[in-house]
Amino acid sequence: MLPILIKYILAEKPQSQDVAICGWVRTKRDMKNLVFVEVNDGSCFAGIQCTFDKSVLNDEKIENALSSLATGVSVKINGKLIPSPASGQAVEVAASSLDVLGESPAENVSAESAELDIQAYPLQKKRHSMEFLREIAHLRPRTNTFGAVSRLRARMAFAIHKYFYERDFHLLHTPIITAGDCEGAGAMFQVTTLDPVSGAKEISSGKNFDYSRDFFAKKTYLTVSGQLEAETYATAISRVYTFGPTFRAENSNTVRHLAEFWMVEPEMAFAGLEDDMALAEDFLRNVINFALDECSDELKFFDAHVEKGIIENLRQVAGAKFSHITYTDAVRELEKAAGNKKDLFEFQPKWGSDLQSEHEKFLTEKVAGGPVIVTDYPKEIKAFYMKLNDDEKTVRAMDVLVPRLGEIIGGSQREDDLKKLIKRMTALELKPEEYSWYLDLRRYGTVPHAGFGLGFERLLQYVSGMANIRDVIPFPRAVGQAEF
Ligand code: 4AD
Ligand code: MG
């Protein structure tokens, strides 16, 4: 039988009940005959205090076991739940037995340990830097911060599935290996079983590299987005969403970019940009409310230790309407601000250029004072599949920007007119024949449709206040970083 989780004991505070506690020791305090051991199992923040009264137990085996306890030791403790005299906890365990399941030395110890390369446990009871914890990403879930992040992450994934399930969106598993470039940004990881060395020889001898010899008999990549495949199912079963890993080989070493991240992409048939924006806003509010309700202990911790005021901030966002602004008006606002203060931005805002993160920050924090949806971007800075506006200059795109972070969602109404789509692809030097299956959706029973992509880690960053995106995914992959 599985042991009772500590979170249930602390929440329900059952009295005079026999329990078996399983977990890892956080701290041990020796007070003459009394030894206090705090045990944590990661089911919640708090550990439970287990009190050993040596004068009552009078057991040499237990005393020896107690003397070997240190931070990180795994234990099983039997005892009775009693009201706790200590402040801050309702119950504690009056312990009657102690099994050490696995040691965890506090210092570099014996010769045998050295042979097995057992060093002192790196997570001693003190504050560790995020950089250090990233190096031991396999142990960092045992800290309060990463325990909280991992519980938040798992619950938010559930909230997302719940949101879509309750609204008739069907989960769609799109391929991880693809032959096409959805975003046309070219930042893709190639997938091949061919040896790059012999390939390089082939090329240097003037031959064209022969991909027909490769596993898939063509050039393939890790997907950057499941959108194009999602469109095929949305134009058949009306409403779908994907939730899977996506990969970008962008060389951007920033606190909001990963090479491997999880994306949520709803796609709806018979929908336009207005429907898309309404869905994005309702969805964000809904999952933020879920976090406020279901992860309140974690949010309290983030509020106290990571980002002051985050709970109030999330409450406001969940309660307010998002502002809307067109890209053209946004650039006008930025230019106006830059005109009044020359060194406001590093990059001067200009119609036709992509918004930089400093611009996004300014728009959310200074212009909108909260989340803002920017629409109708110039077609040159957006992907080929976005629906062209009547002005023939801008497309039906929308980005949701939030304070602290900038872009959290990117979406659009899709071009459903076959001729216009082919024209746009040709202008971008994409070969329509390579997207024949995608164009079929416009050849046969085309409908207006729209969708968006939410970066799951960006959402987690936003909700937790964690500054670096590498700290909201268990094993981050970024430029020069693929440990574990
Ligand atoms: O704006 P993006 O590139 O849009 C798409 O991929 C569309 N196909 C989505 C769609 O319409 N179905 O990416 C969507 C979101 C961004 O807003 C951002 O939150 C996140 O994905 N994102 C990243 N997150 C972490 N690391 C990266 N390198 C990211 N690139 C994008
Ligand atoms: Mg984008």
Side-chain angles (χ1 to χ4, degrees):
M1 204 176 66
L2 287 175
I4 183 169
L5 291 172
I6 291 169
K7 74 169 194 179
Y8 291 113
I9 299 180
L10 295 178
E12 290 156 18
K13 310 174 190 69
Q15 303 281 331
S16 349
Q17 189 175 305
D18 289 324
V19 283
I21 301 290
C22 290
W24 293 267
V25 172
R26 278 289 172 87
T27 54
K28 180 183 81 169
R29 278 181 305 131
D30 259 304
M31 313 264 282
K32 274 199 188 149
N33 274 334
L34 288 178
V35 182
F36 301 104
V37 180
E38 189 202 334
V39 179
N40 185 288
D41 66 2
S43 62
C44 60
F45 279 105
I48 188 147
Q49 175 159 293
C50 301
T51 307
F52 293 83
D53 188 336
K54 289 195 220 167
S55 63
V56 174
L57 291 170
N58 200 6
D59 181 327
E60 202 178 326
K61 227 181 90 212
I62 293 182
E63 283 181 31
N64 285 340
L66 278 172
S67 67
S68 76
L69 292 190
T71 305
V73 173
S74 49
V75 291
K76 180 176 176 198
I77 294 171
N78 287 309
K80 200 181 268 305
L81 285 171
I82 54 166
S84 178
S87 69
Q89 59 189 12
V91 287
E92 64 178 48
V93 176
S96 54
S97 80
L98 168 63
D99 289 316
V100 170
L101 305 178
E103 290 176 5
S104 174
E107 289 157 23
N108 293 337
V109 275
S110 68
E112 196 203 354
S113 307
E115 209 168 279
L116 294 171
D117 199 18
I118 302 174
Q119 316 273 334
Y121 184 51
L123 287 176
Q124 295 303 328
K125 183 113 184 143
K126 61 166 188 173
R127 258 186 189 267
H128 297 286
S129 74
M130 292 294 162
E131 289 73 23
F132 170 72
L133 291 172
R134 234 168 271 148
E135 285 170 21
I136 51 164
H138 57 304
L139 295 174
R140 67 179 181 171
R142 298 185 191 190
T143 62
N144 281 340
T145 305
F146 288 92
V149 170
S150 60
R151 289 189 296 271
L152 177 74
R153 188 177 169 110
R155 288 180 200 153
M156 291 305 270
F158 172 75
I160 289 167
H161 286 300
K162 181 170 180 284
Y163 179 86
F164 288 119
Y165 181 79
E166 288 171 353
R167 288 162 183 79
D168 292 303
F169 282 75
H170 302 289
L171 173 62
L172 178 70
H173 294 121
T174 49
I176 289 172
I177 300 173
T178 63
D181 176 1
C182 169
E183 291 305 298
M188 300 200 293
F189 291 100
Q190 197 179 335
V191 176
T192 178
T193 52
L194 292 177
D195 172 18
V197 178
S198 60
K201 276 194 203 132
E202 207 169 308
I203 291 165
S204 67
S205 68
K207 277 196 231 159
N208 272 341
F209 194 77
D210 181 10
Y211 282 103
S212 69
R213 289 188 292 117
D214 205 348
F215 190 92
F216 297 106
K218 56 160 69 162
K219 212 169 172 183
T220 49
Y221 311 89
L222 293 178
T223 186
V224 295
S225 155
Q227 179 201 317
L228 303 192
E229 290 91 350
E231 283 182 55
T232 67
Y233 273 73
T235 53
I237 62 172
S238 291
R239 280 166 223 172
V240 297
Y241 73 103
T242 72
F243 191 162
T246 47
F247 307 86
R248 307 247 168 133
E250 297 158 357
N251 204 346
S252 21
N253 212 339
T254 79
V255 295
R256 31 174 243 157
H257 286 91
L258 287 165
E260 175 180 296
F261 63 99
W262 287 66
M263 217 201 300
V264 179
E265 295 183 275
E267 190 71 31
M268 308 171 274
F270 314 104
L273 192 67
E274 295 298 326
D275 305 299
D276 205 28
M277 292 191 287
L279 180 73
E281 186 169 339
D282 185 61
F283 165 70
L284 272 183
R285 273 219 211 89
N286 182 284
V287 295
I288 288 172
N289 270 323
F290 184 95
L292 287 165
D293 293 342
E294 303 292 325
C295 307
S296 57
D297 286 347
E298 283 72 22
L299 290 190
K300 272 183 217 146
F301 174 87
F302 295 130
D303 204 314
H305 301 286
V306 175
E307 172 79 28
K308 287 248 167 325
I310 191 152
I311 293 182
E312 189 42 41
N313 191 249
L314 292 174
R315 275 210 192 103
Q316 274 172 14
V317 169
K321 277 234 144 280
F322 293 8
S323 313
H324 291 216
I325 190 170
T326 64
Y327 167 90
T328 302
D329 285 345
V331 170
R332 205 169 289 143
E333 290 286 344
L334 293 167
E335 281 174 339
K336 202 167 75 192
N340 293 336
K341 200 162 173 258
K342 285 280 165 275
D343 55 355
L344 183 62
F345 301 120
E346 189 186 335
F347 296 91
Q348 286 320 303
K350 192 169 140 264
W351 200 97
S353 303
D354 216 349
L355 297 178
Q356 300 293 321
S357 57
E358 55 177 348
H359 303 147
E360 294 179 346
K361 209 170 141 64
F362 187 86
L363 289 172
T364 55
E365 290 167 14
K366 299 285 186 288
V367 178
V372 56
I373 308 185
V374 182
T375 62
D376 303 289
Y377 285 74
K379 64 177 184 216
E380 284 77 17
I381 56 173
K382 288 291 182 190
F384 73 94
Y385 51 70
M386 297 190 182
K387 187 164 183 62
L388 194 62
N389 276 317
D390 290 341
D391 64 9
E392 304 213 345
K393 289 196 194 96
T394 58
V395 286
R396 305 245 76 199
M398 64 108 181
D399 277 5
V400 181
L401 314 180
V402 292
R404 282 190 277 120
L405 203 68
E407 179 187 341
I408 192 166
I409 281 179
S412 64
Q413 182 172 345
R414 320 307 186 187
E415 184 57 81
D416 52 342
D417 181 299
L418 181 62
K419 271 196 204 144
K420 285 187 189 165
L421 184 54
I422 292 178
K423 192 171 160 204
R424 185 78 197 121
M425 291 174 82
T426 313
L428 291 169
E429 292 177 19
L430 295 171
K431 296 194 187 99
E433 59 278 15
E434 286 179 10
Y435 292 82
S436 184
W437 60 272
Y438 185 68
L439 295 172
D440 272 356
L441 310 180
R442 283 74 181 166
R443 291 188 182 110
Y444 310 114
T446 190
V447 291
H449 61 290
F452 64 77
L454 162 91
F456 185 47
E457 287 75 19
R458 297 248 177 116
L459 173 69
L460 293 174
Q461 257 189 299
Y462 187 58
V463 172
S464 66
M466 294 292 284
N468 194 320
I469 196 165
R470 297 175 200 202
D471 298 329
V472 293
I473 187 164
F475 299 103
R477 271 86 182 90
V479 188
Q481 191 185 23
E483 304 308 318
F484 310 98

